[in-house]
Amino acid sequence: MKAAVVTAFGAPLEIVERPIPEPGASQVLIRLQVCGLCHTDIHAAHGDWPAQPTLPLVPGHEGVGIVEKLGVGVTDRTLGERVAIPWLGKACGHCRYCVDGRETLCEQQLDSGYSIDGAFAEYAVASSTYVVPVPDGVSSLDAAPLSCAGLTTYKALKLAHIEPTERVGIFGVGGLGHLAVQYAHIMGGVVVAIDIEETKLDLARELGAAQLVNAAQTDPVAAIEAEGGLDVALVLAASPRVFEQAFTSLRRGGRLICVALPPKGTMAISIFDTVIKGISIIGSIVGTRQDLAEVFALHLAGRTRVVAETRELGQVNDAIAEVLSGKVTARLVFDFQPAAALPVVPGAELEIGRTGAPELLTTSNHS
Ligand SMILES: NC(=O)c1ccc[n+]([C@@H]2O[C@H](COP(=O)([O-])OP(=O)(O)OC[C@H]3O[C@@H](n4cnc5c(N)ncnc54)[C@H](O)[C@@H]3O)[C@@H](O)[C@H]2O)c1
Ligand SMILES: [Zn+2]
Ligand SMILES: [Zn+2]
């Protein structure tokens, strides 16, 4: 099988041939159809964070594919089932966090594409219990970005406890942000979208944002304050300065939700303002399997739209450069079975969970 591998931090990923892995006990073998490129994969490949992954590493935690083999003792998955491989590859299942509904805080967790090999490969093995079934009617191309970008922002905004009419700022309308705008809107918020690229702000408007702020052209804090400030500020741009701008944009009772993970990160915020204004500062890491089931259900109900463009795995380094350039509209997704590689049968379904030929740009709300 082909896999994209990080062999040295900051070096281009290498496309290598590897044997198809065997599923161990409690694991399944998955033939990947697609895998999204999250900015976290770029941080992993650059070794940006204090806890660096062990190399060589196959990144990828927005994988969607078909269960092809069951390891010994697997009874919770079936052959042919379509599943997602999210960031939470495995948790212990019995610590206080696992049993009280906060499994993403488990101290024994293994993370897909970080502490264990992920889904930038034609096949991957994964825990049978921690992969998440993708409902029929949600295309694989849509399911991939939902599995991290959707899951993470849905969970982060749940933690914000938005009340209808509250003003919710989404700082960074990229892969995560384009879904965050929609969840904030669904939860009843009046959405303010902040980015430095006009195309991303155009998309945010289409997806329900009421105020657009181009932080490259105007002081975002002044622009937001002029409209009354924010009750919730969700930070999805990996820059400490953006966290500080988000904090300063909050009005009394505001919640700062920290999600982006800058390589070097400390933010300077006023303790006095935090106290006097009664501000909450909340960190949020991905979401649980139940959160992802809810994300898929919302999409199946036609409530969300995924904006993604496909690339081949061999283009992985170019794709990373594209994301870093800021020119990707929302999400790039690696397609392991591009149209050219498939037999052309007019009018026929290409594969489970996909309708019609793979499109360059999908803005569907269901398949
Ligand atoms: N906490 C978690 O669970 C979690 C999960 C997934 C990703 N992340 C992190 O979230 C971050 C975003 O990931 P992504 O995949 O959406 O990245 P992305 O590159 O697709 O999006 C980032 C967006 O921020 C915008 N931006 C850049 N500078 C800005 C500025 N000064 N002001 C406003 N906007 C600005 C960019 O134009 C882009 O639209 C990354 O740091 C990633 O590692 C965290
Ligand atoms: Zn991610
Ligand atoms: Zn645990």
Side-chain angles (χ1 to χ4, degrees):
M1 68 167 193
K2 280 193 175 39
V5 182
V6 181
T7 53
F9 294 124
L13 276 70
E14 290 176 26
I15 304 292
V16 300
E17 281 290 334
R18 279 191 172 180
I20 295 173
E22 277 298 316
S26 309
Q27 286 186 326
V28 287
L29 174 69
I30 295 159
R31 177 173 54 80
L32 273 312
Q33 297 175 316
V34 287
C35 183
L37 170 59
C38 179
H39 209 120
T40 289
D41 299 313
I42 303 176
H43 292 305
H46 289 174
D48 273 346
W49 296 333
Q52 288 185 328
T54 304
L55 303 185
L57 170 74
V58 178
H61 56 273
E62 286 187 351
V64 176
I66 305 295
V67 174
E68 265 202 7
K69 241 186 201 183
L70 306 178
V72 173
V74 172
T75 55
D76 50 1
R77 299 272 80 88
T78 51
L79 292 175
E81 197 176 357
R82 198 162 52 111
V83 295
I85 303 179
W87 173 260
L88 186 66
K90 194 176 188 301
C92 82
H94 43 73
C95 70
R96 60 181 286 213
Y97 304 110
C98 281
V99 300
D100 77 359
R102 293 182 293 166
E103 61 193 19
T104 61
L105 302 183
C106 176
E107 292 182 61
Q108 307 299 321
Q109 70 185 273
L110 298 175
D111 300 319
S112 310
Y114 204 84
S115 58
I116 51 173
D117 279 344
F120 281 7
E122 289 172 312
Y123 288 85
V125 290
S127 157
S128 66
T129 314
Y130 286 86
V131 294
V132 176
V134 180
D136 291 345
V138 174
S139 74
S140 297
L141 198 49
D142 286 358
L146 293 173
S147 300
C148 177
L151 170 65
T152 299
T153 53
Y154 175 71
K155 179 51 169 264
L157 289 168
K158 262 180 151 182
L159 295 178
H161 298 291
I162 297 166
E163 295 192 5
T165 76
E166 280 196 318
R167 292 172 58 81
V168 182
I170 308 296
F171 289 78
V173 191
L176 268 66
H178 91 286
L179 286 156
V181 166
Q182 299 175 66
Y183 296 127
H185 191 60
I186 290 170
M187 292 173 190
V190 176
V191 180
V192 181
I194 305 99
D195 206 291
I196 52 172
E197 301 286 341
E198 209 55 41
T199 49
K200 315 230 187 197
L201 295 171
D202 292 342
L203 177 63
R205 184 197 298 279
E206 262 182 62
L207 298 174
Q211 188 190 351
L212 309 175
V213 178
N214 188 328
Q217 292 172 1
T218 181
D219 171 11
V221 177
I224 293 166
E225 278 177 348
E227 301 290 323
L230 298 173
D231 299 291
V232 172
L234 175 61
V235 186
L236 306 173
S239 148
R241 209 167 86 84
V242 178
F243 284 77
E244 291 163 3
Q245 291 169 339
F247 175 87
T248 313
S249 306
L250 287 171
R251 51 190 185 191
R252 292 182 175 223
R255 288 84 83 197
L256 177 72
I257 317 286
C258 306
V259 165
L261 288 151
K264 292 193 182 57
T266 52
M267 54 180 168
I269 54 162
S270 157
I271 296 168
F272 186 80
D273 284 349
T274 306
V275 174
I276 296 301
K277 294 185 177 179
I279 287 174
S280 307
I281 299 171
I282 300 167
S284 187
I285 176 75
V286 292
T288 65
R289 291 166 288 174
Q290 174 59 26
D291 294 318
L292 184 51
E294 293 169 20
V295 160
F296 285 150
L298 271 176
H299 196 66
L300 189 59
R303 306 285 303 278
T304 48
R305 215 172 107 186
V306 172
V307 177
E309 292 175 50
T310 58
R311 297 289 183 271
E312 291 181 30
L313 189 62
Q315 301 172 295
V316 61
N317 294 305
D318 291 340
I320 289 173
E322 278 185 84
V323 172
L324 292 176
S325 77
K327 299 303 174 205
V328 175
T329 310
R331 203 47 140 197
L332 295 184
V333 174
F334 298 115
D335 186 343
F336 296 101
Q337 292 162 300
L342 294 169
V344 180
V345 185
E349 292 274 307
L350 285 175
E351 63 190 69
I352 301 168
R354 188 200 293 277
T355 52
E359 292 168 22
L360 264 188
L361 183 67
T362 172
T363 56
S364 64
N365 56 7
H366 50 77
S367 63

